[in-house]
Amino acid sequence: MEEKLFDADFFRSLQRVSLISGQRMNGGRGGMRRSSSRGGSVEFSDFREYLPGDDIRRIDWNAYARSERLFIKLFMQEQEGMYTIVLDNSASMTEETGKKSVMSARLAGLFGHLALQAQDRIRLATIASGVTKVEKGLSGMQSRTTFLEQLQRVEFAGGTDLWGSLRKIPFPRRGTTIVLSDFMDRDAKPGNMEQIKEALRYLRYRKQEILLVQIMADEEIRPSLEGTICLVDEETEEKMKITMSGKLLRQYEKQQELFRRELQEIARGYQAYFMQVHTGMPLEQVIYQGMRQGMLEHI
């Protein structure tokens, strides 16, 4: 991805915003979530061996001097959250201008930044053509640059297979999964959303709180096409020649709205958050919409 995704204006937009999580965390390492298990308050509890990505400030250097092995101090009551940010990197996310891929990567950066800021743990998973790549988990604000570099390297190609891809992601413990996609699954259409339902059913089974963010290009929501044109499917390269008319545009817009509403209803049925954004929306507007829908909060 050549375009610069993250600049000073991007981070300025995130000031005084935080993620909301209703999960009561257990397992994992110390963060800012309350828990009945070990975390990061002032009450000392135990030790465990150091793992890459741990906060080096928690290393017990006295224990290292005795054993020449790194150990982390564990405390009681506070616990980190676990966020899996799933980025659909299929070809349909590029479209003609490439703005969908840019918006999706920036939103991934937004959620990742907020999670790290809250001392939670994050990992990036990319999905396309049933191929799933899960990056190593990261924690601490010192990991933000690594996460943003991962996003900058993402390439968009192939088809969308949401269910086939998501079920390949391991979930060792409960947490929050954020899915950034247009949800243009190969078989998905109004009245036939079984693959998407299966994906959400799997995430709930794996004890995940779910946030679905549908990313659409402005042109996909309200096309400005006229006359006889040739449409090309970004994923399959299938071509279709059509003549645009007012009636056809109205039918298209009706189907798009039905698809959005059905996605929203499915999300509600699986106790998931849902939000649709389009490429013309400023980041501040996306954040405001996230606050209205309970995904983000002002701090």
Side-chain angles (χ1 to χ4, degrees):
M1 189 179 292
E2 297 297 328
E3 183 170 344
K4 184 176 177 60
L5 297 175
F6 310 105
D7 52 23
D9 289 338
F10 173 85
F11 294 111
R12 197 173 298 116
S13 301
L14 307 186
Q15 292 178 356
R16 303 198 65 75
V17 179
S18 71
L19 284 164
I20 293 177
S21 175
Q23 291 281 11
R24 184 176 177 81
M25 304 298 174
N26 51 56
R29 294 192 288 280
M32 296 179 67
R33 310 263 176 213
R34 285 292 177 183
S35 172
S36 57
S37 57
R38 298 186 180 99
S41 75
V42 295
E43 184 182 349
F44 173 73
S45 174
D46 203 351
F47 295 94
R48 68 158 171 77
E49 198 159 356
Y50 172 85
L51 295 173
D54 282 331
D55 188 344
I56 61 173
R57 292 172 297 180
R58 293 184 183 238
I59 292 175
D60 188 297
W61 296 108
N62 290 328
Y64 177 76
R66 292 192 302 270
S67 64
E68 295 188 354
R69 294 171 64 189
L70 295 176
F71 290 92
I72 293 291
K73 294 178 181 179
L74 298 179
F75 301 86
M76 292 297 294
Q77 289 202 348
E78 289 180 353
Q79 198 71 21
E80 70 176 0
M82 178 67 202
Y83 285 86
T84 301
I85 301 174
V86 180
L87 181 61
D88 175 1
N89 64 319
S90 63
S92 69
M93 294 298 290
T94 60
E95 41 82 37
E96 187 174 351
T97 63
K99 290 183 179 179
K100 281 170 68 175
S101 60
V102 170
M103 174 64 88
S104 62
R106 283 180 174 158
L107 290 181
L110 180 155
F111 288 117
H113 168 89
L114 296 179
L116 291 173
Q117 181 176 261
Q119 297 180 31
D120 289 328
R121 192 167 185 82
I122 64 170
R123 58 178 181 164
L124 174 67
T126 53
I127 56 172
S129 297
V131 177
T132 303
K133 180 181 179 182
V134 183
E135 300 283 359
K136 182 179 176 181
L138 301 169
S139 62
M141 281 301 283
Q142 71 275 11
S143 300
R144 187 182 70 179
T145 299
T146 300
F147 181 69
L148 299 183
E149 287 173 350
Q150 290 174 354
L151 291 171
Q152 195 77 44
R153 291 194 299 266
V154 173
E155 295 182 358
F156 291 77
T160 306
D161 181 4
L162 200 65
W163 162 230
S165 300
L166 282 175
R167 64 183 174 180
K168 295 177 182 177
I169 300 175
F171 293 96
R173 64 182 174 93
R174 70 174 62 237
T176 299
T177 295
I178 303 170
V179 184
L180 303 164
S181 174
D182 56 13
F183 295 96
M184 299 295 182
D185 201 278
R186 57 187 179 187
D187 299 316
K189 59 184 177 181
N192 182 17
M193 308 282 272
E194 288 306 311
Q195 294 292 313
I196 293 175
K197 289 179 182 178
E198 284 291 334
L200 298 191
R201 195 174 296 127
Y202 171 73
L203 292 176
R204 292 301 296 175
Y205 171 73
R206 303 303 301 184
K207 296 181 173 58
Q208 297 299 297
E209 186 175 358
I210 309 167
L211 283 67
L212 304 180
V213 183
Q214 186 188 28
I215 300 163
M216 301 291 288
D218 294 343
E219 188 70 12
E220 289 175 324
I221 296 175
R222 289 186 176 81
S224 58
L225 304 173
E226 296 179 350
T228 300
I229 56 174
C230 181
L231 299 177
V232 181
D233 188 306
E234 292 280 359
E235 296 185 359
T236 65
E237 297 186 357
E238 181 181 351
K239 297 180 180 180
M240 179 184 296
K241 193 173 183 179
I242 62 171
T243 300
M244 297 300 293
S245 65
K247 181 180 179 180
L248 188 59
L249 279 173
R250 286 190 296 272
Q251 288 176 339
Y252 170 82
E253 290 175 1
K254 182 180 179 180
Q255 288 298 303
Q256 283 284 12
E257 179 60 15
L258 284 173
F259 187 67
R260 184 196 66 79
R261 287 184 182 179
E262 195 160 343
L263 267 176
Q264 191 170 31
E265 285 300 312
I266 291 170
R268 187 176 293 119
Y270 288 92
Q271 299 178 304
Y273 292 95
F274 173 81
M275 178 171 67
Q276 184 189 77
V277 303
H278 57 86
T279 53
M281 291 173 68
L283 194 60
E284 290 83 355
Q285 186 178 344
V286 175
I287 292 171
Y288 174 70
Q289 186 171 328
M291 288 179 179
R292 286 183 57 196
Q293 297 184 218
M295 300 165 89
L296 304 171
E297 66 180 345
H298 190 271
I299 59 173

